[in-house]
Amino acid sequence: MAKCCLVLLFVAISSLFGILDASAGDADPIYRACVGECEKTGCVADKCFQHCNFSSDGKPIDGPWYLQEPLYLQWKKWDCRSDCRYHCMLAREAEREKLGDRPVKYHGKWPFRRVSGIQEPVSVAFSALNLAIQFHGWVSFFILVNYKLPLRPNKKTYYEYTGLWHIYAILALNSWLWSAVFHSRDVDLTERLDYSSAVALLGYSLILAIMRVFNVRDEAARVMVAAPLLAFVTTHILYLNFYQMDYGLNMKVCVAMGVSQLLLWAVWAGVSRHPSRWKCWVVVIGGGLAMLLEIYDFPPYRGYVDAHALWHATTIPLTYLWWSFIRDDSEFRTSTLIKKAK
């Protein structure tokens, strides 16, 4: 839920970046001339790149086969054009800073400084922390329902949504993993994996919200709820990956799924007598306030910390609180069902 609430606006805004790939920075004639010269000479000022002797597919333009790019460079996809763009961007931003100008975006992204080849190190670090918090929340939930709370005579849990939350945890871990990878290196493959993971998580979270809010416990009813939504989400992911990466359509789909589940949880928290409903409210409201960081976009401080990195930071406590609500819900439902059985 926390991840879904906060991923919503990011998907929408980053979708717009995909549409508006041309930015003020890469339209700058000085920057463009620098990149063009670098691709011919392999140098930016006194810094030269050996792999600029090769085409973008890694094949040598001239020279024997054993001079082609090292495997670690090919794996990272740091080709001549990427390095030329990066170092020309840094050079141009240094010139703009001397003139007192504000940073501008290049190819839809702020001018970040790499650390050990990582494009956005702070966002990667916060994504990794979110991954850790998700894993901690999942493990603590697993221990609670399987070893601390009473079990049915058939050794199954009383909590009817145990399996659903396990699937949610796996999808959330997968989403944060690819978020970290995407911020490490933004290429077509990592972008598709990040977007697909986010869509899958949003779609499943909507299914889970419907089942919990309306207390759907019958297996046949669950199938009727899940089947059309799963078919829709699967079709959408296949469309994005194998037909067209339509950023505008993806934005609409994610906004629709995200807003729907936010409204469901907000209404449920308002009418329910659940003892931990306040935690649900905090996650919903906190997620909405955190979205302001995406609206108020600002350049990265010292080339590292931007609004989106701070947005990733806000998801850490919200994710922790959300898993706390899930544990409380399992305790509440278990005690309720045990009382009814007596």
Side-chain angles (χ1 to χ4, degrees), residues 190-308:
T190 57
E191 179 189 52
R192 290 176 184 275
L193 288 168
D194 182 49
Y195 274 58
S196 298
S197 299
V199 171
L201 179 59
L202 279 168
Y204 180 79
S205 297
L206 176 58
I207 295 171
L208 184 52
I210 294 172
M211 291 184 181
R212 181 62 190 94
V213 167
F214 294 103
N215 201 21
V216 181
R217 289 175 288 178
D218 182 71
E219 290 299 325
R222 287 185 174 185
V223 171
M224 292 177 65
V225 170
L229 287 172
L230 285 174
F232 172 77
V233 171
T234 302
T235 302
H236 180 64
I237 292 174
L238 291 173
Y239 177 87
L240 292 178
N241 285 280
F242 298 104
Y243 184 72
Q244 180 184 1
M245 179 58 80
D246 190 329
Y247 295 97
L249 174 64
N250 189 57
M251 176 183 66
K252 294 174 184 176
V253 169
C254 290
V255 167
M257 292 192 298
V259 170
S260 297
Q261 61 187 279
L262 281 175
L263 290 174
L264 284 171
W265 283 114
V267 172
W268 178 83
V271 301
S272 172
R273 294 183 178 180
H274 197 288
S276 297
R277 61 187 179 276
W278 66 271
K279 294 181 180 180
C280 187
W281 271 115
V282 171
V283 172
V284 172
I285 296 173
L289 293 175
M291 288 180 183
L292 296 176
L293 287 171
E294 291 289 358
I295 296 174
Y296 181 64
D297 192 21
F298 57 82
Y301 177 70
R302 295 187 179 275
Y304 298 107
V305 183
D306 69 332
H308 184 62

Side-chain angles (χ1 to χ4, degrees), residues 22-64:
S23 306
D26 46 275
D28 185 344
I30 299 176
Y31 167 80
R32 294 170 70 90
C34 175
V35 173
E37 183 66 21
C38 174
E39 289 180 344
K40 293 177 182 178
T41 64
C43 298
V44 176
D46 58 348
K47 189 173 185 63
C48 297
F49 318 108
Q50 180 183 355
H51 49 285
C52 277
N53 293 323
F54 303 89
S55 60
S56 59
D57 61 1
K59 296 180 180 179
I61 296 174
D62 56 359

